[in-house]
Amino acid sequence: KAPLSKHWKYSLSANLYDAETPLQGGGTRDDFAYSANGQIEYDAPPKGAKGGDQFQMLFNLNSRKYDWQGYRSGSDSLSAVWQHPVTPKVSMVVSFINLIQTKETVTITNTPNQQARYVNGQDGQLVTVALAYKFGGVKK
């Protein structure tokens, strides 16, 4: 996490896993898995008492993950959020979700008693508009 300039900053994180997963039929499975998150943010110069706009881009990346019954496929996502102050305490927040039209996440269960395939995903992209209220005192 660090500033790039006066108004730009970023944050990156990654997790690496060397996983040893017990198998239902006995034994283990050795796997490598990862997840990564990132955010880049722009804070516009303040415009009077209301403050300035803020824009964020967020991404998430996950590898395939195994468990003792099967696995969950990898996933990725990219979203953006724009926040515009309306008053010093109220902001309009517009979120743009699934910008890269994320593929479906598939969960496979494969045991002697059950074989299943569960698919979870979002059709298309989504835009939400909300109002946010800041509790407490207003920063001077």
Side-chain angles (χ1 to χ4, degrees), residues 22-57:
L23 299 174
Q24 187 175 29
T28 61
R29 177 186 179 112
D30 291 326
D31 289 300
F32 174 78
Y34 60 86
S35 66
N37 297 292
Q39 174 179 323
I40 189 162
E41 182 177 310
Y42 174 73
D43 292 317
K47 297 176 185 172
K50 291 191 295 185
D53 287 14
Q54 185 181 71
F55 181 75
Q56 297 175 330
M57 293 287 294

Side-chain angles (χ1 to χ4, degrees), residues 58-91:
L58 308 114
F59 80 88
N60 176 268
L61 181 65
N62 293 293
S63 68
R64 176 183 285 200
K65 292 193 176 113
Y66 289 90
D67 65 31
W68 68 280
Q69 293 182 322
Y71 67 90
R72 187 180 73 227
S73 67
S75 62
D76 54 17
S77 66
L78 178 66
S79 300
V81 179
W82 171 52
Q83 185 169 320
H84 175 73
V86 178
T87 71
K89 294 188 76 88
V90 176
S91 293

Side-chain angles (χ1 to χ4, degrees), residues 6 10 15 18 22 24-25 35 41 44 52 54 64-66 71 87 91-92 96 100 111 116 118 122 126:
K6 182 176 179 181
Y10 76 95
N15 296 296
D18 183 15
Q24 187 175 29
S35 66
E41 182 177 310
Q54 185 181 71
R64 176 183 285 200
K65 292 193 176 113
Y66 289 90
Y71 67 90
T87 71
S91 293
M92 177 183 65
F96 305 91
I100 55 175
T111 69
Y118 174 74
Q122 178 181 328
L126 180 66

